[in-house]
Structure formats: C-alpha cells, structure tokens
Amino acid sequence: MKSKYVILASALLISVATFAQKDQIKNAEKALKNGDAKSAISILDAADYLITNAKDTEQSQYYFVKGNAYLDIAKKGEEEGKNLSLAAEAYKKLIETEKTSGKTKYSTQAAASITDIKGRLINGAIADSKVSKHADGAKKIYDAYLLDKKDTINLYYAASTYVNAGDFTAALPLYEELKRLNYSGKGTAYLATNKLSGEDNAFATANERDLAVKIGTHEKPRAEVSPSKRGEIYKNISLILVQNGKTEEAKKAIADARAANPEDSSLILTEANLYLETKDYETYKKLIGEVLKNNPNDPDLLFNLGVLSGNAKNTADAEKYYTKVIEIKPDYTNAYINLAALKLEDEKPIIDEMNKLGTSAKEMKRYDELKAKRNNLFKSTIPYLKKASELDPKNEDISKTLLNVYSALEMTAEYKALKAKM
C-alpha cells in the first residue's frame, strides 16, 4: 500500500513541475511582449533545470522564447555580438529538438532568425573593423561561420581579422581548419554598381547581377576573378609557427601544402618567403628560380617576387622584378608605386649623413654632394609616381607623395598644377 502512495506522490511531483515550467514560459513570453527581454531571460533561466525533462513541444517553445529575448536585446545594441550568439545558440537547440521529435512548429521562424543573426554579425564585424576593433570583429565573423559552416569564406575572414588584431594565437586554429578543409577561395565575383549608393554590390550569380542591371537598380556589370588564398593561408600558418619557435613544423606544413596542391604556384612563393624569414638564402634562391622557370611572364608572380626581394633588402632584384612587371603589363599600378617607394627608401641614409655634418668647408662640400644626390633620387621617382597617379587618379597617397617630391625639388609650377587637381 505504501508503494502505491510513493508512485502517486512521484506523479504529483512531475505534474507540478510541468505546470511550473509551462507557467514560467508563459510568464517569459508575457515579459517579452511587454518589452522586458531581460526579465524574460531571468524567468527562463530559473526554469532551465526543469527543461531537460520537459515535453519536446515545451522545450521548443522554451528555446524559441529564449532566442527571441536574446535577439531583442541584441537589436537594442546591448552587447550585440554576445547576445546575437546566445540567440543563435537557443535557435539551434530549438531546431535540433524539433528535428528529433519530428514536429516543426518553430523551426522555420528560428531558421529565418538565424539568417538575420548571421547578417547582423557580419555587418557588426565590418563596423568594428572600421574603428579598428579587430578582435571584436573577428569573433563576430567566426560566430557567423559557426552558424553556417558551408560559408567557409567567413572562416577565412575571421582568421585574417584576428591577424589584423595581432591575436595570432586565435588566428592559428582557424587557419589550421582552413588547411584541413583545403580551402582555396578561388572563384569569380559578380559585381555591379548600385546607382543609388554608388557602392559596388556582389551577386551570387551572373544572372542575378544581370537582372539587377536590367531592372535599372545597378550599372557597370563586371566579373572579378579571386585568386587562390592557399598561399596566404599557409604563409600565415608558417609565420605564426616560426614566431612560436616551431620552425621545423612550419617547413613541414608548407611542404605538405605543396605536395597536396602541386598546381598552386602561390605556395612556392610562401615556401620561399619562409626560407627568407629563416635566413636560408640558398634555398630561397633555389625556390625563386623554380618559380621563374614555371611562370617567367606572370606579372602577379613577378610583382610578388619584387615584394619578397624588397623585404629581404635586395633592392637590385626588387627593381629588376618590378621593371619586368611593367614591361609585361604597363598598367600595373602597384609596380610603379613600389618602384618609387623602393627608391625613396634610399633617402633616409642621405638625410642622416647630412644632419651629422658641420660647417667646415669640407663638410659643406659634402653636404652639397649629398643634396644633389637626394635631388637626383627624387627626380628618378617622378616618372613612376606620375604614371601611377595617371592610372589611379583617386589615390590620394600617390598624389601626396608626388606633391612632396615636387616641393623638395622646388618645382613650384608642377606642385600648383597637381594641387589644383586634388
């Protein structure tokens, strides 16, 4: 007889708990409707220990209300990134619960909210980057990736943004994940200019872009090919490993990458850069020779070789590569810019020596020699800067550098003419 009472008492306890969690979910819904999302979350948190044993329908409702509450707080701008992620987590649990139960009352709305959250996270990351809050932005982009792992470009952007933030420890596992996925990022972007905003918009397909142009909202349709990003990914993995004192691991990582992607020439450059960083100049030269043998007239490749040589303070080779780029592709703006920058690097030692000189006749003579040398150096940059400015007239940095050169050479007429165009 006692055992029957025990069973009855247990049934009553379960019944009371069920009513309690139902009431708490309803109370949370009411608080949310009244604009008090924080109270809704507090009510739901108090019922959290009960929800595990609740019916599937009640679990779904619980997570739906919780997701809505966190999303409401995020929309009000309060700890946006954190609350968007918490909302997404609740919605994912909802979808998982309904998938298991076979009942899909809230899943469609939850999926739509997750898509909204993904967009908000990415827009928030862009806003963070504009004010140099790169770490916050990287976290948001990574959270967006976790919501939709098919969109691997967000994993790449998250890793790159962590690098911009100087957080290499956070960036490394993301790059390792990109490596595991054998992510390339190579593809075609379908772009058109928005007539209203003047900004370039990307479209998923050429047909979507062409339709926007046809209905008149966009103009200047074009396609841009994105090169493989594997070289950059493996380069950053290697550099982080080298920075952490793991040089041999870095060498193995890039060797494995080349073996897995023999057609990707950017990886040879990455390996060359690694040996350059570790001051193994013989292996570096050997790899550069291999690059040139395979692609002797590739302007992008030659430009990158110029950059590597410049970083290694091998100015003669850097100038040779940039000059070759211009021969092959006369409208390669960055080659002109880098050639000018390469020459301007020689100004500092001249200025340093000039500043140390006294006023003796011998020193004054040397001063005049150095001044003439500096003027000749400035004159040598003018053709490159003028061409770069002609190719990219909106680039203020080029114009300002050319203005400084004109000023130093006391070329007043040229200075005024350029200043008037700015």
Side-chain angles (χ1 to χ4, degrees):
M1 195 72 179
K2 285 183 180 178
S3 62
K4 289 182 181 179
Y5 285 122
V6 170
I7 293 168
L8 180 60
S10 299
L12 284 169
L13 285 171
I14 293 169
S15 177
V16 170
T18 301
F19 281 123
Q21 64 203 18
K22 280 183 178 178
D23 285 343
Q24 283 169 309
I25 294 171
K26 285 181 180 178
N27 289 337
E29 279 186 315
K30 186 177 179 181
L32 184 58
K33 284 178 182 177
N34 290 332
D36 192 354
K38 287 186 178 180
S39 290
I41 290 168
S42 296
I43 294 166
L44 293 172
D45 283 345
D48 189 64
Y49 74 102
L50 296 171
I51 206 65
T52 307
N53 297 317
K55 292 178 182 178
D56 290 333
T57 53
E58 287 161 9
Q59 286 189 36
S60 298
Q61 187 181 10
Y62 171 88
Y63 290 124
F64 184 63
V65 177
K66 199 167 194 176
N68 289 345
Y70 277 123
L71 183 55
D72 184 74
I73 295 172
K75 285 180 177 180
K76 291 172 181 173
E78 188 171 335
E79 293 186 283
E80 185 184 25
K82 175 186 173 183
N83 286 307
L84 285 173
S85 297
L86 289 169
E89 185 181 330
Y91 289 134
K92 284 194 289 184
K93 285 181 180 177
L94 183 162
I95 292 169
E96 186 181 325
T97 299
E98 292 199 338
K99 186 178 180 182
T100 303
S101 69
K103 299 173 183 177
T104 55
K105 183 176 180 181
Y106 301 107
S107 289
T108 302
Q109 295 174 69
S113 293
I114 286 174
T115 301
D116 178 39
I117 288 168
K118 180 183 170 186
R120 287 176 181 274
L121 284 168
I122 292 171
N123 288 335
I126 293 169
D128 285 340
S129 293
K130 286 180 179 177
V131 292
S132 298
K133 294 169 67 175
H134 298 300
D136 291 343
K139 174 69 168 59
K140 287 173 184 173
I141 301 173
Y142 184 63
D143 285 344
Y145 164 71
L146 293 177
L147 292 178
D148 182 7
K149 290 192 174 182
K150 296 189 295 295
D151 206 351
T152 46
I153 193 168
N154 286 328
L155 179 60
Y156 166 77
Y157 284 137
S160 300
T161 307
Y162 271 125
V163 168
N164 291 340
D167 191 345
F168 304 116
T169 301
L172 183 57
L174 275 58
Y175 280 125
E176 293 284 5
E177 177 69 4
L178 288 164
K179 173 186 171 184
R180 188 187 68 78
L181 295 170
N182 201 27
Y183 174 79
S184 163
K186 188 175 182 179
T188 303
Y190 301 101
L191 306 172
T193 303
N194 187 306
K195 287 183 179 179
L196 189 63
S197 66
E199 295 180 354
D200 290 335
N201 296 150
F203 296 84
T205 65
N207 287 338
E208 287 182 22
R209 177 203 61 196
D210 294 343
L211 180 61
V213 173
K214 189 174 181 180
I215 63 177
T217 59
H218 289 73
E219 61 183 354
K220 300 176 184 176
R222 59 200 180 281
E224 291 183 3
V225 178
S226 302
S228 170
K229 296 177 177 64
R230 285 198 189 107
E232 178 194 335
I233 290 165
Y234 283 95
K235 171 189 168 186
N236 287 342
I237 289 174
S238 299
L239 291 177
I240 293 170
L241 289 172
V242 168
Q243 182 178 292
N244 293 340
K246 299 177 180 179
T247 304
E248 293 308 312
E249 282 187 39
K251 290 178 179 178
K252 184 178 184 306
I254 193 60
D256 290 346
R258 285 194 62 193
N261 304 277
E263 80 294 343
D264 196 333
S265 59
S266 68
L267 292 173
I268 308 177
L269 274 177
T270 298
E271 188 171 21
N273 187 67
L274 172 60
Y275 282 97
L276 180 62
E277 290 286 332
T278 55
K279 295 182 171 54
D280 184 345
Y281 298 115
E282 288 304 313
T283 306
Y284 164 74
K285 287 178 182 177
K286 179 184 174 183
L287 289 165
I288 292 298
E290 187 179 338
V291 172
L292 288 173
K293 182 180 178 182
N294 294 337
N295 302 276
N297 293 308
D298 183 328
D300 292 329
L301 203 50
L302 288 163
F303 178 80
N304 287 332
L305 288 173
V307 173
L308 285 181
S309 298
N311 290 342
K313 303 302 178 187
N314 189 339
T315 54
D317 278 355
E319 185 171 354
K320 178 183 70 175
Y321 291 130
Y322 292 139
T323 302
K324 183 70 173 176
V325 170
I326 291 168
E327 288 174 7
I328 296 168
K329 197 172 187 295
D331 62 347
Y332 205 116
T333 307
N334 286 338
Y336 293 101
I337 294 171
N338 282 19
L339 266 171
L342 197 67
K343 291 183 177 296
L344 287 172
E345 284 179 6
D346 291 336
E347 183 198 10
K348 188 178 184 302
I350 297 172
I351 292 293
D352 288 344
E353 187 179 348
M354 288 171 75
N355 289 335
K356 291 176 183 177
L357 293 172
T359 56
S360 69
K362 182 179 179 181
E363 287 172 311
M364 291 301 291
K365 182 181 177 183
R366 177 58 179 163
Y367 182 91
D368 290 339
E369 290 172 355
L370 289 170
K371 185 179 179 181
K373 185 177 180 181
R374 180 174 178 254
N375 286 347
N376 287 334
L377 184 152
F378 280 142
K379 288 175 184 175
S380 71
T381 69
I382 291 175
Y384 303 122
L385 291 170
K386 284 179 71 175
K387 185 64 177 179
S389 184
E390 177 187 316
L391 292 169
D392 188 3
K394 293 182 180 179
N395 191 319
E396 290 186 4
D397 290 333
I398 299 172
S399 298
K400 286 177 181 177
T401 303
L402 186 52
L403 276 177
N404 289 336
V405 169
Y406 285 151
S407 177
L409 294 172
E410 298 179 3
M411 297 173 67
T412 308
E414 290 81 356
Y415 180 93
K416 287 180 178 179
L418 179 57
K419 187 74 173 175
K421 292 178 183 179
M422 293 174 65

